[in-house]
Amino acid sequence: MEKLRRVLSGAEDEEQGLTAQVLDATSLSFGTRVKWFAICFAAGILCSILGTGLLFLPNGTKLFAVFYTLGNLAALFSTCFLMGPVKQIKRMFEPNRLIATIVMLLCLALTLCAVFWWHKKGLAIIFCILQFLAMTWYSLSYIPFARDAIIKCCTTCLN
């Protein structure tokens, strides 16, 4: 709104930096951010559920892998609306999330490779399971002490 006022009043600053222009063009209100987060996250869940349903159709493995991967990507990118894309990428590659992020992104890519290039349906399903586990482990990194609690619980159950 402020930018519109500057343009209409003739006080447009020609020397405005690129970063300021990008921030002006991409600033969203908190309500808009939450709405688009919910829409994107719900679309991700819907794609994942749809993909799971397509698994049981003849030759549905390809559709399953594509929809499941798209669902996970939509759910991952939905958080960009809450904290912004740059901050999201910085937080994804923090030392405590680095391995989980790499494994998650690798599983996303390998799922699609298994279906389209290698034509291995069983391998694609294994990579989808690994996608789920990697995405869960990545998501737990945002909850304080959640990973430690899971490790302790699994250790206790296995001993």
Side-chain angles (χ1 to χ4, degrees):
M1 198 66 178
E2 181 63 32
K3 185 175 181 177
L4 180 62
R5 284 188 199 129
R6 283 185 281 158
V7 170
L8 293 176
S9 68
E12 177 69 10
D13 185 14
E14 295 295 328
E15 298 299 319
Q16 187 179 26
L18 179 64
T19 304
Q21 289 176 0
V22 169
L23 290 175
D24 281 347
T26 59
S27 61
L28 300 172
S29 70
F30 181 73
T32 304
R33 288 178 184 270
V34 171
K35 286 176 192 173
W36 279 105
F37 163 76
I39 290 168
C40 197
F41 192 75
I45 291 173
L46 182 66
C47 281
S48 295
I49 292 171
L50 180 63
T52 304
L54 293 171
L55 178 63
F56 301 106
L57 295 176
N59 296 323
T61 310
K62 284 185 181 181
L63 291 173
F64 164 69
V66 169
F67 277 98
Y68 193 78
T69 302
L70 286 176
N72 280 338
L73 283 173
L76 177 66
F77 289 131
S78 67
T79 56
C80 289
F81 287 106
L82 292 179
M83 65 179 82
V86 174
K87 189 174 181 182
Q88 169 69 18
I89 291 171
K90 284 181 182 177
R91 292 192 72 187
M92 283 176 68
F93 291 99
E94 287 177 349
N96 64 326
R97 290 187 190 95
L98 183 62
I99 294 173
T101 300
I102 291 171
V103 170
M104 179 184 54
L105 295 176
L106 191 62
C107 287
L108 292 171
L110 289 174
T111 300
L112 297 176
C113 288
V115 167
F116 291 114
W117 284 283
W118 304 328
H119 304 289
K120 304 286 185 186
K121 295 177 182 179
L123 193 58
I125 291 173
I126 290 171
F127 284 135
C128 284
I129 293 168
L130 291 174
Q131 269 187 51
F132 173 77
L133 295 173
M135 186 70 112
T136 302
W137 194 250
Y138 169 79
S139 298
L140 287 174
S141 72
Y142 285 96
I143 303 169
F145 305 109
R147 286 178 168 179
D148 295 333
I150 297 294
I151 290 171
K152 188 172 183 177
C153 181
C154 289
T155 305
T156 304
C157 290
L158 293 175
N159 288 335

